[in-house]
Amino acid sequence: MASGDDGNKKLKLYSYWTSSCSHRVRIGLNFKGLKYEYKEVNLVTGEQHTPEFKKLNPIGYVPVLVDGDVVLSDSFAILMYLEEKYPQHPLLPSDLKKKAINYQAANIVSSSIQPHQNLAELKYIEEKISADETLPWVEFHIGNGFAALEELLKDYAGKYATGDEVYLADLFLAPQIYRAIKSFNLDMSKYPLLLRLYDAYSELPAFQDAMPEKQPDAPSS
Amino acid sequence: MASGDDGNKKLQLYSYWRSSCSHRVRIGLNFKGLEYEYKAVNVLKREQHTPEFKKLNPIGYVPVLVDGDVVLSDSFAILMYLEEKYPQHPLLPSDLKKKAINYQAANIVSSSIQPHQNLAGVKYAEEKISADECFSWVKFHIGNGFAALEELLKDYAGKYATGDDVYLADLFLAPQIYAAIKRFNLDMSKYPLLLRLHGAYSELPAFQNAMPEKQPDAPSS
């Protein structure tokens, strides 16, 4: 679904290959069958702080979605916009309680875990304490969040997080579990449900095509 | 709208007076004219870690809403549930772009600012760094988030954050601005729009009645 050089696609996604927030939106776009142009923003070289990019997103984070003259940032806002504008393959169940569980799981990731593992935070810990302290810090926050997710989802999970269909919670969980395993080598033995979900996601093309290493800006080696 | 001792109200809110996440939901309940029973959770005394409370919310945070046999946590999930179940005084505009701006502003608060100031994270950080350093770190995040909000909302704000009606963004902004001023003594001169909004919220009973110092568990002195 992503193309590095086609300027004619209506949808554009400003993304960085390892950004888990961008990863969520990539899954969503794939899941809904939406083609888009991939616009790389190199977070390591600070491209998110350039005046051009800050005009798109004042907070200087990725992802940003451009849909014609609509420019949106924040993975959640983008996904809710896509959900309403392109209703195929819905991201939310109609049942009120199950919908709420999806929002809650998504927010456990986006408010309780991810803010404590992003590049800016890790840099800060490294500067103020030490590089050795970054891993325990991240593990503390991921561990708390994963323990909560195991509890929250245990009565709802089926093949996927909240039943036998993919929904919003899965779009937030997949990148987070990926990052915990690949970037931080987290011991997942305490989180059997999340590990099982991770395997389930590996069977789905929408999820697989969104993986960091498959993006145009991933290093070739 | 809140009562400390009436067991007959259908809605119950587990809340801490100073929790900004609880504060958001209190505004929402008031705004929609929904009566509820206030259930105090003393986070300083670690009541959120008791087995009873963890059964309600595995992540051990407030707020938690109980609506009959529906038990929900996470301020965003709760507000979206209330929005759908009790549609009076809608929290979201119908315009897709304006709705997205509301989600985005809410998430700037809930994912980029608030996670860095909540008790659990601050306590962990204070053990590793000094209390003064932590305080500066929180103010740094608030400042970044507020600068972004000023940029984001400047083309949309009217009497309130995204126009002349109160919407979701206002429910997230009011507690955050309050905390920035009262708890962190932030110099608001750089954030004129947010300061103006703070003034506007002080005219509204729904917002005023949700203020921390007006809650049943607020200290009397």
CSV table of all heavy atoms in Angstrom, one decimal, chain A residues 58-59 71-74 76 80 84 96-97 99-100 103-104 107 110-112 115-116 121 124 128-129 133 136-137 148 151, chain B residues 58-59 71-74 76-77 80-81 84 96-97 99-100 103-104 107 110-112 115-116 124-125 128 133 137 148 151:
chain,number,residue,atom,x,y,z
A,58,PRO,N,2.6,21.0,14.7
A,58,PRO,CA,3.3,21.9,15.6
A,58,PRO,C,4.1,21.2,16.7
A,58,PRO,O,5.0,21.7,17.3
A,58,PRO,CB,2.2,22.8,16.2
A,58,PRO,CG,0.9,22.2,15.8
A,58,PRO,CD,1.2,21.3,14.6
A,59,ILE,N,3.6,19.9,17.1
A,59,ILE,CA,4.3,19.3,18.2
A,59,ILE,C,5.5,18.5,17.7
A,59,ILE,O,6.3,18.0,18.5
A,59,ILE,CB,3.3,18.4,19.0
A,59,ILE,CG1,3.7,18.2,20.4
A,59,ILE,CG2,3.1,17.0,18.3
A,59,ILE,CD1,2.7,17.5,21.3
A,71,VAL,N,-5.1,18.1,6.9
A,71,VAL,CA,-3.8,17.7,7.4
A,71,VAL,C,-4.1,17.4,8.9
A,71,VAL,O,-4.6,18.2,9.7
A,71,VAL,CB,-2.8,18.9,7.3
A,71,VAL,CG1,-1.5,18.4,8.0
A,71,VAL,CG2,-2.6,19.3,5.9
A,72,LEU,N,-3.7,16.2,9.3
A,72,LEU,CA,-4.0,15.7,10.6
A,72,LEU,C,-2.8,15.1,11.3
A,72,LEU,O,-2.2,14.3,10.6
A,72,LEU,CB,-5.1,14.6,10.6
A,72,LEU,CG,-6.5,15.0,10.3
A,72,LEU,CD1,-7.4,13.7,10.4
A,72,LEU,CD2,-7.0,16.0,11.3
A,73,SER,N,-2.6,15.3,12.6
A,73,SER,CA,-1.6,14.6,13.2
A,73,SER,C,-2.2,13.9,14.5
A,73,SER,O,-3.4,14.1,14.8
A,73,SER,CB,-0.4,15.4,13.6
A,73,SER,OG,-0.8,16.5,14.4
A,74,ASP,N,-1.4,13.1,15.1
A,74,ASP,CA,-1.8,12.2,16.3
A,74,ASP,C,-2.5,10.9,15.7
A,74,ASP,O,-3.5,11.0,15.0
A,74,ASP,CB,-2.8,12.9,17.2
A,74,ASP,CG,-3.2,12.1,18.4
A,74,ASP,OD1,-2.4,12.1,19.3
A,74,ASP,OD2,-4.2,11.4,18.3
A,76,PHE,N,-4.2,8.6,17.0
A,76,PHE,CA,-5.6,8.3,17.3
A,76,PHE,C,-6.6,9.2,16.5
A,76,PHE,O,-7.5,8.7,15.9
A,76,PHE,CB,-5.9,8.5,18.8
A,76,PHE,CG,-7.2,8.1,19.2
A,76,PHE,CD1,-7.5,6.8,19.6
A,76,PHE,CD2,-8.3,9.1,19.2
A,76,PHE,CE1,-8.8,6.4,19.9
A,76,PHE,CE2,-9.6,8.7,19.6
A,76,PHE,CZ,-9.8,7.4,19.9
A,80,MET,N,-9.4,7.8,13.9
A,80,MET,CA,-10.8,8.1,14.0
A,80,MET,C,-11.3,8.8,12.8
A,80,MET,O,-12.5,8.6,12.3
A,80,MET,CB,-11.0,8.9,15.3
A,80,MET,CG,-10.7,8.2,16.5
A,80,MET,SD,-11.6,6.7,16.8
A,80,MET,CE,-13.2,7.4,17.5
A,84,GLU,N,-14.2,7.3,10.1
A,84,GLU,CA,-15.4,7.9,9.7
A,84,GLU,C,-15.5,8.2,8.2
A,84,GLU,O,-16.5,8.1,7.6
A,84,GLU,CB,-15.6,9.2,10.5
A,84,GLU,CG,-17.1,9.6,10.6
A,84,GLU,CD,-17.4,10.7,11.6
A,84,GLU,OE1,-16.7,10.8,12.6
A,84,GLU,OE2,-18.4,11.4,11.4
A,96,LEU,N,-21.3,-1.2,22.7
A,96,LEU,CA,-20.8,-0.1,23.5
A,96,LEU,C,-19.6,-0.5,24.4
A,96,LEU,O,-18.6,0.2,24.6
A,96,LEU,CB,-21.9,0.6,24.3
A,96,LEU,CG,-21.9,2.1,24.4
A,96,LEU,CD1,-22.0,2.7,23.0
A,96,LEU,CD2,-23.2,2.5,25.1
A,97,LYS,N,-19.8,-1.6,25.1
A,97,LYS,CA,-18.8,-2.0,26.1
A,97,LYS,C,-17.5,-2.4,25.4
A,97,LYS,O,-16.4,-2.1,25.8
A,97,LYS,CB,-19.4,-3.1,27.0
A,97,LYS,CG,-18.4,-3.6,28.0
A,97,LYS,CD,-18.1,-2.6,29.1
A,97,LYS,CE,-16.8,-2.9,29.9
A,97,LYS,NZ,-17.0,-3.7,31.1
A,99,LYS,N,-16.5,-1.5,22.5
A,99,LYS,CA,-15.9,-0.3,21.9
A,99,LYS,C,-15.1,0.4,23.0
A,99,LYS,O,-13.9,0.8,22.8
A,99,LYS,CB,-17.0,0.6,21.4
A,99,LYS,CG,-16.5,1.7,20.5
A,99,LYS,CD,-17.7,2.7,20.1
A,99,LYS,CE,-18.6,2.0,19.1
A,99,LYS,NZ,-19.5,3.0,18.5
A,100,ALA,N,-15.7,0.5,24.2
A,100,ALA,CA,-14.9,1.1,25.3
A,100,ALA,C,-13.7,0.4,25.7
A,100,ALA,O,-12.6,1.0,26.0
A,100,ALA,CB,-15.9,1.2,26.5
A,103,TYR,N,-11.0,1.4,23.2
A,103,TYR,CA,-10.5,2.7,23.5
A,103,TYR,C,-9.5,2.6,24.7
A,103,TYR,O,-8.5,3.2,24.8
A,103,TYR,CB,-11.6,3.7,23.9
A,103,TYR,CG,-12.5,4.2,22.8
A,103,TYR,CD1,-13.8,4.3,22.9
A,103,TYR,CD2,-11.9,4.6,21.5
A,103,TYR,CE1,-14.7,4.8,21.9
A,103,TYR,CE2,-12.7,5.1,20.5
A,103,TYR,CZ,-14.1,5.1,20.7
A,103,TYR,OH,-14.9,5.6,19.7
A,104,GLN,N,-9.9,1.8,25.7
A,104,GLN,CA,-9.2,1.7,26.9
A,104,GLN,C,-7.8,1.1,26.7
A,104,GLN,O,-6.8,1.6,27.1
A,104,GLN,CB,-9.9,0.9,27.9
A,104,GLN,CG,-9.5,1.1,29.3
A,104,GLN,CD,-10.3,0.4,30.3
A,104,GLN,OE1,-11.6,0.3,30.2
A,104,GLN,NE2,-9.7,-0.2,31.3
A,107,ASN,N,-5.6,3.4,24.8
A,107,ASN,CA,-5.0,4.5,25.7
A,107,ASN,C,-4.0,4.0,26.7
A,107,ASN,O,-3.1,4.7,27.1
A,107,ASN,CB,-6.2,5.3,26.4
A,107,ASN,CG,-6.6,6.4,25.5
A,107,ASN,OD1,-5.9,7.4,25.3
A,107,ASN,ND2,-7.8,6.3,25.0
A,110,SER,N,-1.1,4.3,24.5
A,110,SER,CA,-0.7,5.6,24.0
A,110,SER,C,-0.5,6.6,25.2
A,110,SER,O,0.3,7.6,25.0
A,110,SER,CB,-1.7,6.2,23.1
A,110,SER,OG,-2.9,6.6,23.7
A,111,SER,N,-1.1,6.4,26.3
A,111,SER,CA,-0.9,7.3,27.4
A,111,SER,C,0.0,6.8,28.5
A,111,SER,O,0.7,7.5,29.2
A,111,SER,CB,-2.2,7.8,28.0
A,111,SER,OG,-3.0,8.4,27.1
A,112,SER,N,0.0,5.4,28.8
A,112,SER,CA,0.7,4.9,29.9
A,112,SER,C,2.0,4.2,29.5
A,112,SER,O,2.9,4.1,30.4
A,112,SER,CB,-0.2,3.8,30.6
A,112,SER,OG,-1.4,4.4,31.1
A,115,PRO,N,4.5,7.0,25.8
A,115,PRO,CA,5.2,8.3,26.1
A,115,PRO,C,6.5,8.1,26.8
A,115,PRO,O,7.4,9.0,26.8
A,115,PRO,CB,4.2,9.1,26.9
A,115,PRO,CG,2.9,8.5,26.6
A,115,PRO,CD,3.2,7.0,26.3
A,116,HIS,N,6.7,6.9,27.5
A,116,HIS,CA,7.9,6.7,28.3
A,116,HIS,C,9.0,6.0,27.6
A,116,HIS,O,10.0,5.6,28.2
A,116,HIS,CB,7.5,6.0,29.6
A,116,HIS,CG,6.5,6.7,30.4
A,116,HIS,ND1,6.8,7.9,31.0
A,116,HIS,CD2,5.2,6.5,30.7
A,116,HIS,CE1,5.7,8.4,31.7
A,116,HIS,NE2,4.7,7.5,31.5
A,121,GLU,N,12.3,10.9,25.4
A,121,GLU,CA,12.4,10.5,26.8
A,121,GLU,C,13.6,9.7,27.1
A,121,GLU,O,14.3,9.9,28.1
A,121,GLU,CB,11.1,9.6,27.0
A,121,GLU,CG,11.1,9.1,28.4
A,121,GLU,CD,10.0,9.8,29.3
A,121,GLU,OE1,9.6,10.9,28.9
A,121,GLU,OE2,9.7,9.2,30.4
A,124,TYR,N,16.6,11.9,27.4
A,124,TYR,CA,16.5,12.6,28.6
A,124,TYR,C,17.1,11.8,29.8
A,124,TYR,O,17.9,12.2,30.6
A,124,TYR,CB,15.1,13.1,29.0
A,124,TYR,CG,15.0,13.8,30.3
A,124,TYR,CD1,15.3,15.1,30.5
A,124,TYR,CD2,14.6,13.0,31.4
A,124,TYR,CE1,15.2,15.7,31.7
A,124,TYR,CE2,14.4,13.6,32.7
A,124,TYR,CZ,14.7,15.0,32.8
A,124,TYR,OH,14.6,15.6,34.0
A,128,LYS,N,20.3,12.6,32.0
A,128,LYS,CA,20.2,13.0,33.4
A,128,LYS,C,20.6,11.9,34.4
A,128,LYS,O,21.0,12.2,35.5
A,128,LYS,CB,18.7,13.4,33.7
A,128,LYS,CG,18.2,14.5,33.0
A,128,LYS,CD,18.8,15.8,33.5
A,128,LYS,CE,18.3,17.0,32.6
A,128,LYS,NZ,19.0,18.3,33.0
A,129,ILE,N,20.5,10.7,34.0
A,129,ILE,CA,20.9,9.6,34.9
A,129,ILE,C,22.0,8.9,34.2
A,129,ILE,O,23.2,9.2,34.3
A,129,ILE,CB,19.7,8.6,35.2
A,129,ILE,CG1,18.4,9.4,35.3
A,129,ILE,CG2,20.0,7.9,36.5
A,129,ILE,CD1,17.2,8.5,35.5
A,133,GLU,N,20.3,3.3,32.7
A,133,GLU,CA,19.0,3.4,33.4
A,133,GLU,C,17.8,3.4,32.4
A,133,GLU,O,16.7,3.3,32.8
A,133,GLU,CB,19.0,4.7,34.2
A,133,GLU,CG,18.0,4.8,35.4
A,133,GLU,CD,18.0,3.7,36.3
A,133,GLU,OE1,19.1,3.3,36.8
A,133,GLU,OE2,17.0,3.1,36.6
A,136,PRO,N,15.8,-0.2,32.4
A,136,PRO,CA,14.9,-0.4,33.6
A,136,PRO,C,13.7,0.6,33.5
A,136,PRO,O,12.6,0.2,33.9
A,136,PRO,CB,15.8,-0.1,34.8
A,136,PRO,CG,17.1,-0.3,34.3
A,136,PRO,CD,17.2,0.0,32.9
A,137,TRP,N,13.9,1.8,33.1
A,137,TRP,CA,12.8,2.8,33.0
A,137,TRP,C,11.7,2.4,32.1
A,137,TRP,O,10.6,2.4,32.4
A,137,TRP,CB,13.5,4.1,32.6
A,137,TRP,CG,12.5,5.3,32.3
A,137,TRP,CD1,11.8,5.5,31.2
A,137,TRP,CD2,12.2,6.3,33.2
A,137,TRP,NE1,11.1,6.7,31.3
A,137,TRP,CE2,11.3,7.2,32.5
A,137,TRP,CE3,12.7,6.6,34.5
A,137,TRP,CZ2,10.8,8.4,33.1
A,137,TRP,CZ3,12.2,7.8,35.1
A,137,TRP,CH2,11.3,8.6,34.4
A,148,ALA,N,-1.4,-4.7,33.0
A,148,ALA,CA,-2.8,-4.2,32.9
A,148,ALA,C,-3.5,-4.7,31.7
A,148,ALA,O,-4.7,-5.0,31.8
A,148,ALA,CB,-2.7,-2.7,32.9
A,151,GLU,N,-4.7,-8.2,32.1
A,151,GLU,CA,-5.9,-8.2,33.0
A,151,GLU,C,-7.2,-7.7,32.2
A,151,GLU,O,-8.2,-8.3,32.3
A,151,GLU,CB,-5.7,-7.3,34.1
A,151,GLU,CG,-5.2,-7.9,35.4
A,151,GLU,CD,-6.1,-9.0,35.9
A,151,GLU,OE1,-7.3,-8.7,36.1
A,151,GLU,OE2,-5.5,-10.1,36.2
B,58,PRO,N,-7.4,-2.6,36.5
B,58,PRO,CA,-6.2,-3.3,36.6
B,58,PRO,C,-4.9,-2.5,36.6
B,58,PRO,O,-3.9,-2.8,37.2
B,58,PRO,CB,-6.2,-4.4,35.5
B,58,PRO,CG,-7.2,-4.0,34.5
B,58,PRO,CD,-8.2,-3.1,35.3
B,59,ILE,N,-5.0,-1.3,35.9
B,59,ILE,CA,-3.9,-0.5,35.9
B,59,ILE,C,-3.7,0.4,37.1
B,59,ILE,O,-2.8,1.1,37.3
B,59,ILE,CB,-3.9,0.4,34.5
B,59,ILE,CG1,-2.4,0.7,34.1
B,59,ILE,CG2,-4.7,1.6,34.7
B,59,ILE,CD1,-2.3,1.3,32.7
B,71,VAL,N,-18.5,-1.4,33.8
B,71,VAL,CA,-17.4,-0.8,34.6
B,71,VAL,C,-16.3,-0.4,33.6
B,71,VAL,O,-15.8,-1.2,32.8
B,71,VAL,CB,-16.8,-1.8,35.6
B,71,VAL,CG1,-15.6,-1.1,36.3
B,71,VAL,CG2,-17.8,-2.3,36.6
B,72,LEU,N,-16.0,0.9,33.6
B,72,LEU,CA,-15.1,1.4,32.6
B,72,LEU,C,-14.0,2.2,33.2
B,72,LEU,O,-14.3,3.1,34.1
B,72,LEU,CB,-15.8,2.3,31.6
B,72,LEU,CG,-16.7,1.8,30.6
B,72,LEU,CD1,-17.2,2.9,29.7
B,72,LEU,CD2,-16.0,0.7,29.7
B,73,SER,N,-12.7,2.1,32.7
B,73,SER,CA,-11.7,3.1,33.1
B,73,SER,C,-11.1,3.7,31.9
B,73,SER,O,-11.4,3.3,30.8
B,73,SER,CB,-10.7,2.4,34.0
B,73,SER,OG,-10.1,1.4,33.4
B,74,ASP,N,-10.3,4.7,32.2
B,74,ASP,CA,-9.6,5.5,31.2
B,74,ASP,C,-10.6,6.7,30.8
B,74,ASP,O,-11.7,6.5,30.4
B,74,ASP,CB,-9.3,4.8,29.9
B,74,ASP,CG,-8.5,5.7,28.9
B,74,ASP,OD1,-7.3,5.9,29.1
B,74,ASP,OD2,-9.2,6.2,28.0
B,76,PHE,N,-10.7,8.9,28.5
B,76,PHE,CA,-11.2,9.0,27.1
B,76,PHE,C,-12.2,8.0,26.8
B,76,PHE,O,-13.3,8.3,26.3
B,76,PHE,CB,-10.0,8.9,26.2
B,76,PHE,CG,-10.4,9.1,24.8
B,76,PHE,CD1,-10.4,10.4,24.3
B,76,PHE,CD2,-10.8,8.1,24.0
B,76,PHE,CE1,-10.8,10.7,23.0
B,76,PHE,CE2,-11.2,8.3,22.6
B,76,PHE,CZ,-11.2,9.6,22.2
B,77,ALA,N,-12.0,6.7,27.2
B,77,ALA,CA,-13.0,5.6,27.0
B,77,ALA,C,-14.3,6.0,27.7
B,77,ALA,O,-15.4,5.7,27.1
B,77,ALA,CB,-12.4,4.3,27.5
B,80,MET,N,-16.1,8.8,25.8
B,80,MET,CA,-16.7,8.3,24.5
B,80,MET,C,-17.9,7.4,24.8
B,80,MET,O,-18.9,7.5,24.0
B,80,MET,CB,-15.7,7.6,23.7
B,80,MET,CG,-14.5,8.4,23.3
B,80,MET,SD,-14.9,9.8,22.2
B,80,MET,CE,-15.0,8.9,20.6
B,81,TYR,N,-17.9,6.7,25.8
B,81,TYR,CA,-19.0,5.9,26.2
B,81,TYR,C,-20.2,6.8,26.6
B,81,TYR,O,-21.3,6.6,26.2
B,81,TYR,CB,-18.6,5.0,27.4
B,81,TYR,CG,-19.8,4.3,28.1
B,81,TYR,CD1,-20.3,3.1,27.6
B,81,TYR,CD2,-20.4,4.9,29.2
B,81,TYR,CE1,-21.4,2.5,28.3
B,81,TYR,CE2,-21.5,4.3,29.9
B,81,TYR,CZ,-22.0,3.1,29.4
B,81,TYR,OH,-23.0,2.5,30.1
B,84,GLU,N,-21.9,8.4,23.6
B,84,GLU,CA,-22.8,7.5,22.8
B,84,GLU,C,-24.0,7.1,23.6
B,84,GLU,O,-25.1,7.1,23.1
B,84,GLU,CB,-22.0,6.3,22.4
B,84,GLU,CG,-22.7,5.7,21.2
B,84,GLU,CD,-21.8,4.7,20.4
B,84,GLU,OE1,-20.6,4.7,20.5
B,84,GLU,OE2,-22.4,3.8,19.7
B,96,LEU,N,-16.0,16.8,10.4
B,96,LEU,CA,-14.9,15.8,10.5
B,96,LEU,C,-13.6,16.4,10.9
B,96,LEU,O,-12.9,15.8,11.7
B,96,LEU,CB,-14.8,15.0,9.1
B,96,LEU,CG,-14.5,13.5,9.2
B,96,LEU,CD1,-15.5,12.8,9.9
B,96,LEU,CD2,-14.4,13.0,7.7
B,97,LYS,N,-13.3,17.5,10.3
B,97,LYS,CA,-12.0,18.1,10.6
B,97,LYS,C,-12.0,18.7,12.0
B,97,LYS,O,-11.0,18.5,12.8
B,97,LYS,CB,-11.7,19.2,9.6
B,97,LYS,CG,-10.3,19.9,9.8
B,97,LYS,CD,-9.1,19.1,9.6
B,97,LYS,CE,-7.9,19.6,10.3
B,97,LYS,NZ,-7.0,20.4,9.4
B,99,LYS,N,-13.8,17.7,14.5
B,99,LYS,CA,-13.8,16.5,15.4
B,99,LYS,C,-12.4,16.0,15.6
B,99,LYS,O,-11.9,15.8,16.7
B,99,LYS,CB,-14.7,15.4,14.8
B,99,LYS,CG,-15.0,14.3,15.7
B,99,LYS,CD,-15.8,13.2,15.0
B,99,LYS,CE,-17.2,13.7,14.7
B,99,LYS,NZ,-18.1,12.5,14.3
B,100,ALA,N,-11.6,16.0,14.5
B,100,ALA,CA,-10.2,15.5,14.5
B,100,ALA,C,-9.4,16.4,15.4
B,100,ALA,O,-8.5,16.0,16.1
B,100,ALA,CB,-9.7,15.4,13.1
B,103,TYR,N,-9.9,15.5,18.9
B,103,TYR,CA,-9.2,14.3,19.3
B,103,TYR,C,-7.7,14.7,19.5
B,103,TYR,O,-7.0,14.2,20.4
B,103,TYR,CB,-9.3,13.2,18.3
B,103,TYR,CG,-10.6,12.6,18.2
B,103,TYR,CD1,-11.2,12.3,16.9
B,103,TYR,CD2,-11.3,12.2,19.3
B,103,TYR,CE1,-12.5,11.7,16.8
B,103,TYR,CE2,-12.6,11.5,19.2
B,103,TYR,CZ,-13.1,11.3,18.0
B,103,TYR,OH,-14.4,10.7,17.9
B,104,GLN,N,-7.2,15.5,18.6
B,104,GLN,CA,-5.8,15.8,18.6
B,104,GLN,C,-5.4,16.6,19.8
B,104,GLN,O,-4.4,16.3,20.5
B,104,GLN,CB,-5.4,16.6,17.3
B,104,GLN,CG,-3.9,16.5,17.0
B,104,GLN,CD,-3.7,17.2,15.7
B,104,GLN,OE1,-4.4,17.1,14.7
B,104,GLN,NE2,-2.6,17.9,15.6
B,107,ASN,N,-5.5,14.4,22.8
B,107,ASN,CA,-4.3,13.5,22.9
B,107,ASN,C,-3.0,14.2,23.1
B,107,ASN,O,-2.1,13.6,23.7
B,107,ASN,CB,-4.2,12.6,21.6
B,107,ASN,CG,-5.1,11.4,21.8
B,107,ASN,OD1,-4.7,10.5,22.6
B,107,ASN,ND2,-6.1,11.3,21.1
B,110,SER,N,-3.3,14.1,26.8
B,110,SER,CA,-3.3,12.8,27.5
B,110,SER,C,-2.1,11.9,27.1
B,110,SER,O,-1.8,11.1,27.9
B,110,SER,CB,-4.6,12.0,27.2
B,110,SER,OG,-4.6,11.6,25.8
B,111,SER,N,-1.4,12.2,26.0
B,111,SER,CA,-0.3,11.4,25.7
B,111,SER,C,1.0,12.1,25.7
B,111,SER,O,2.1,11.5,26.0
B,111,SER,CB,-0.4,10.8,24.3
B,111,SER,OG,-1.6,10.0,24.2
B,112,SER,N,1.0,13.4,25.5
B,112,SER,CA,2.3,14.2,25.5
B,112,SER,C,2.5,15.0,26.8
B,112,SER,O,3.7,15.3,27.0
B,112,SER,CB,2.3,15.2,24.3
B,112,SER,OG,2.1,14.5,23.1
B,115,PRO,N,1.0,12.2,31.0
B,115,PRO,CA,1.7,11.0,31.5
B,115,PRO,C,3.0,11.4,32.2
B,115,PRO,O,3.5,10.6,33.0
B,115,PRO,CB,2.1,10.3,30.2
B,115,PRO,CG,1.1,10.7,29.2
B,115,PRO,CD,0.8,12.1,29.6
B,116,HIS,N,3.6,12.6,32.0
B,116,HIS,CA,4.8,12.9,32.6
B,116,HIS,C,4.6,13.6,34.0
B,116,HIS,O,5.6,13.9,34.7
B,116,HIS,CB,5.6,13.9,31.7
B,116,HIS,CG,5.9,13.2,30.4
B,116,HIS,ND1,6.8,12.2,30.2
B,116,HIS,CD2,5.4,13.4,29.1
B,116,HIS,CE1,6.9,11.9,29.0
B,116,HIS,NE2,6.0,12.6,28.3
B,124,TYR,N,8.6,7.4,40.6
B,124,TYR,CA,9.7,6.5,40.1
B,124,TYR,C,10.9,7.4,39.7
B,124,TYR,O,12.0,7.1,40.0
B,124,TYR,CB,9.2,5.7,38.9
B,124,TYR,CG,10.3,4.8,38.3
B,124,TYR,CD1,10.5,3.5,38.8
B,124,TYR,CD2,11.1,5.2,37.2
B,124,TYR,CE1,11.5,2.7,38.2
B,124,TYR,CE2,12.0,4.4,36.7
B,124,TYR,CZ,12.2,3.1,37.2
B,124,TYR,OH,13.2,2.3,36.6
B,125,ALA,N,10.6,8.5,39.0
B,125,ALA,CA,11.6,9.4,38.5
B,125,ALA,C,12.3,10.1,39.6
B,125,ALA,O,13.5,10.2,39.6
B,125,ALA,CB,11.0,10.4,37.6
B,128,LYS,N,15.1,8.3,41.1
B,128,LYS,CA,16.4,8.2,40.3
B,128,LYS,C,17.0,9.6,40.1
B,128,LYS,O,18.3,9.6,39.9
B,128,LYS,CB,16.0,7.7,38.9
B,128,LYS,CG,15.2,6.4,38.9
B,128,LYS,CD,16.1,5.2,39.2
B,128,LYS,CE,15.3,3.9,39.2
B,128,LYS,NZ,16.1,2.7,39.5
B,133,GLU,N,14.7,18.3,39.7
B,133,GLU,CA,14.9,18.0,38.3
B,133,GLU,C,13.6,17.4,37.7
B,133,GLU,O,13.3,17.8,36.6
B,133,GLU,CB,16.0,16.9,38.3
B,133,GLU,CG,16.5,16.6,36.9
B,133,GLU,CD,17.2,17.8,36.2
B,133,GLU,OE1,18.2,18.3,36.7
B,133,GLU,OE2,16.6,18.2,35.2
B,137,TRP,N,11.4,18.8,34.5
B,137,TRP,CA,11.1,17.9,33.4
B,137,TRP,C,9.6,17.9,33.1
B,137,TRP,O,9.2,18.0,32.0
B,137,TRP,CB,11.5,16.5,33.8
B,137,TRP,CG,11.3,15.3,32.9
B,137,TRP,CD1,10.6,14.2,33.2
B,137,TRP,CD2,11.6,15.2,31.5
B,137,TRP,NE1,10.6,13.3,32.1
B,137,TRP,CE2,11.2,14.0,31.0
B,137,TRP,CE3,12.3,16.1,30.6
B,137,TRP,CZ2,11.4,13.5,29.7
B,137,TRP,CZ3,12.5,15.6,29.3
B,137,TRP,CH2,12.0,14.4,28.9
B,148,ALA,N,2.4,23.7,21.5
B,148,ALA,CA,1.8,22.9,20.4
B,148,ALA,C,0.3,23.2,20.3
B,148,ALA,O,-0.3,23.4,19.2
B,148,ALA,CB,2.0,21.4,20.5
B,151,GLU,N,-0.5,26.6,18.8
B,151,GLU,CA,-0.4,26.5,17.4
B,151,GLU,C,-1.6,25.8,16.8
B,151,GLU,O,-2.1,26.3,15.8
B,151,GLU,CB,0.9,25.7,17.0
B,151,GLU,CG,2.1,26.4,16.8
B,151,GLU,CD,2.0,27.5,15.6
B,151,GLU,OE1,1.5,27.1,14.5
B,151,GLU,OE2,2.4,28.6,15.9
